[in-house]
Amino acid sequence: MANWRRSFIDDSGQMWTPFLNAQVDIASVQAEQQDYPWLSSSDQSLVRAMPAIGLEYRYPFMSTEKWGTQTIEPIAQIIVRPNETDIGQFPNEDAQSLIFDDTNLFEINKFSGYDRVEGGSRVNYGIQYNAFIGGVGQVNALIGQSYQLAGQNSYAIGDMANTGLESGLDDDLSDYVARLYYAPTQNFALINRFRFDESDWAVERYEVEGRATIDKLTVGDIYGLYAA
């Protein structure tokens, strides 16, 4: 895998980040029996290349008040690449646990490992709010969505593990993902994560996480509510 990324800030404070990414995978598959339609009963040698070119745009609006500072930041990202090839024929061992949330909304590849690669052209966009409030702490919020602009949607085509299906990314217009973060001190944080259905805003995924650091000990707890 190869990556290149560089950020430029213009005179009005807009941040432009062009990037390049390339991944090449080689696999030799020996199947003991046929698993239609994924694996044939004969040995296979597979080669997959996924180049990507993209641009990320951010425009932070900042203000300083008596109570603290705040930033509102629109974010947009476009990624252009070919379709994913040999879906299911490459054994999927490390990319089965796909979770679409705020942490990977702007990732080039939202799969959790190397055995699946996101293909087709996609636009990711959202808006982020961040505030540091004197005597209260830090507040951060994000909401965003992803759109399959062109080509084949990798998340709409399952493999032997059905990875991608029902992930919230399998339609051209994805579900909404959101985050609400609050840290009253450096040693404690409360994080809420959401995934809302794109059509009716039904809650498909909700997590609330608490983290605390006491001296050298860090503890955390997560409650999750997930649609079937």
Side-chain angles (χ1 to χ4, degrees):
M1 178 181 288
N3 285 287
W4 176 86
R5 176 183 293 261
R6 186 174 180 182
S7 295
F8 304 89
I9 301 175
D10 63 23
D11 293 339
S12 61
Q14 300 175 100
M15 180 180 290
W16 306 83
T17 305
F19 55 86
L20 299 171
N21 177 270
Q23 178 177 328
V24 178
D25 301 286
I26 301 173
S28 177
V29 182
Q30 295 87 37
E32 294 184 359
Q33 61 184 11
Q34 185 177 12
D35 188 356
Y36 182 84
W38 308 117
L39 300 177
S40 69
S41 57
S42 59
D43 296 348
Q44 294 187 83
S45 295
L46 301 170
V47 178
R48 179 181 62 196
M50 180 58 70
I53 182 172
L55 177 67
E56 185 175 288
Y57 169 81
R58 295 173 180 253
Y59 196 1
F61 295 87
M62 305 178 67
S63 70
T64 301
E65 312 293 341
K66 292 181 179 180
W67 49 263
T69 62
Q70 61 179 342
T71 305
I72 298 176
E73 184 180 36
I75 308 169
Q77 182 189 68
I78 184 170
I79 307 169
V80 179
R81 62 201 150 194
N83 295 332
E84 182 184 7
T85 59
D86 296 323
I87 298 173
Q89 296 182 49
F90 268 85
N92 181 4
E93 297 176 332
D94 70 351
Q96 297 183 14
S97 58
L98 172 62
I99 298 173
F100 176 45
D101 61 13
D102 62 291
T103 63
N104 60 9
L105 173 61
F106 296 104
E107 290 292 329
I108 297 174
N109 180 14
K110 297 177 179 58
F111 286 109
S112 58
Y114 294 101
D115 291 342
R116 289 291 305 271
V117 291
E118 183 179 304
S121 298
R122 181 171 286 272
V123 175
N124 305 307
Y125 49 88
I127 188 166
Q128 180 171 224
Y129 174 80
N130 199 48
F132 292 90
I133 305 171
V136 175
Q138 180 187 5
V139 177
N140 177 272
L142 171 75
I143 186 168
Q145 194 178 31
S146 184
Y147 176 64
Q148 184 73 22
L149 183 65
Q152 189 179 71
N153 185 349
S154 292
Y155 305 106
I157 304 174
D159 52 28
M160 285 184 288
N162 281 333
T163 305
L165 303 183
E166 303 296 332
S167 64
L169 289 160
D170 44 323
D171 292 326
D172 286 348
L173 198 59
S174 80
D175 288 349
Y176 297 96
V177 291
R179 173 185 70 236
L180 182 60
Y181 171 95
Y182 173 56
T185 70
Q186 293 183 342
N187 296 326
F188 179 76
L190 187 66
I191 306 124
N192 290 266
R193 291 192 172 96
F194 309 84
R195 198 185 102 211
F196 301 105
D197 187 271
E198 180 273 328
S199 59
D200 60 6
W201 287 85
V203 177
E204 297 291 334
R205 186 180 185 91
Y206 171 70
E207 290 180 344
V208 57
E209 177 183 0
R211 299 175 189 168
T213 301
I214 306 168
D215 195 14
K216 296 182 179 181
L217 176 67
T218 298
V219 295
D221 195 26
I222 298 176
Y223 167 80
L225 177 65
Y226 311 116

